[in-house]
Amino acid sequence: MVNLTSLCIMFVVLFAGSLGGCEGAAQREASTDSDTDSDTDSDSDSDSDTDSDTDSDTDSDTDTDTGIVDLSYIWIANTDDGTLSKVDTQTAVEVARYRTCPLSFCDPSRTSVNLHGDAVVTNRQSFPSSVTKFAAAQDDCIDNNGNSVIDTSTGPGNILAWGEDECMIWHSELPTTGFVSEHGARATAWDGQTDPDTGEGGHVWVGTCSLEMMGQQTIFKLDGDTGDIVDSVAVSSMCAYGGVVDGNGGFWILSGYGMVEELLRVDMATLTANSRILQCGYGITVDSSGRIWAGGMGMMMGSCISRYDPATDTELTVDVPGAEFLRGIAVGVELSAGYVWAADTSGRLYKIAEDSMIVENTYNVGAYNMIGVAVDFEGYIWTVSQEGNATYKFDPSSETQVAVPIGQGPYTYSDMTGVQLSSVIIIE
């Protein structure tokens, strides 16, 4: 299929004062990546008696129907603080908060959780961009100073200095080639090869979003145990904005900025890439059938949801009337099974039937500037509000919610709980 992204890149570079068709997308990134000074009052008045000063730690393991023991946490990057919040999804309490890089400005964004429950966080604009891994279970942390105690955060009031938290497993900087624009690494996903019992093995895939090369971005493959870069490939893409892994060895990247919404699949064995144009895109997820879902703005419409089926090479798109700007998107399980859930900047959560793609309901959830959305292993829906500095746990059965205060400017588009990955990876 014809790749139009490099044309859009060239247009942006050559006519920076008049962005034309790329202008809307540039505004989207500018407003979402760093703008947290909106004067809209944060509406975080949902009832929540959660105590953020808890020293609860890791004993919230849940046995899922797949036989995998998953540490039930949601990991949310606090962009303005340069920290990562670890929230117990069963108690709705933030049990740890970590620094994500050694610099004063890390700009953490995407997170991804492997089949053992461990998380990585990608720091976008830390010059260079970087990736940091944290262990979910204290037994997997490392007693670096030999004092026979694991020194680690016990909550938001106990953030250790960089290098002192022994649940930080590794930190890896991504190499650059020449000039680095304001946009660094974005799309981030574990590949599903981690041993669910030991946490060993597996790789982390990261894609960049930079104008340093006309119409090309770099995809990095990192060793999940060490953080070492074991491979990389340049792909024709405007911006590897969001990424997911399917159950068939593919790393899918949504690369869309206004004029063009491009979906790329990188074969993780051969590093070859194929692409097609989507009618709608911004956030990205994948269902258990391997279908790719994208939510956002369309080329010829307003807010919308697209479902792409690789098996038939077909795309279905539905308009979502009343939505301001759809951002995060996630596929439900357990309590929320059968539905796709999309977050709107207005603070609304949309419930879309997975098979019919009918928008069945809309809920007012959380504060304005809703960013990401994720589903935990019990099926509760979690949304992230950049303006509310909180995450919201929504019960689709009772249609009630609990607010959990976290760090400043939280911003995460990705599989924050590991549910997405475990839904597409078959463990034998």
Side-chain angles (χ1 to χ4, degrees), residues 294-309:
M297 302 291 287
M299 293 186 292
M300 305 300 293
M301 61 184 74
S303 290
C304 52
I305 300 289
S306 280
R307 185 185 73 196
Y308 173 66
D309 188 346

Side-chain angles (χ1 to χ4, degrees), residues 32-68:
T32 59
D33 277 8
S34 58
D35 185 7
T36 58
D37 60 356
S38 172
D39 57 4
T40 304
D41 291 336
S42 301
D43 181 13
S44 56
D45 57 355
S46 304
D47 292 340
S48 174
D49 293 326
T50 59
D51 183 358
S52 61
D53 291 329
T54 181
D55 57 5
S56 170
D57 207 326
T58 59
D59 298 328
S60 59
D61 298 8
T62 302
D63 289 322
T64 69
D65 293 337
T66 62
I68 307 170

Side-chain angles (χ1 to χ4, degrees), residues 32 282 295-297 302-305 320-329 341-352 361-373 382-387 392 413:
T32 59
Y282 194 84
M297 302 291 287
S303 290
C304 52
I305 300 289
V320 183
E324 182 178 275
F325 177 33
L326 294 178
R327 308 283 284 276
I329 186 169
W341 304 82
D344 188 43
T345 51
S346 64
R348 291 188 293 266
L349 178 67
Y350 287 87
K351 177 183 179 182
I352 302 104
N361 216 334
T362 305
Y363 308 96
N364 291 318
V365 179
Y368 185 77
N369 207 4
M370 199 67 71
I371 304 294
V373 61
W382 291 78
T383 57
V384 177
S385 172
Q386 189 177 33
E387 184 137 337
Y392 300 83
Y413 287 98

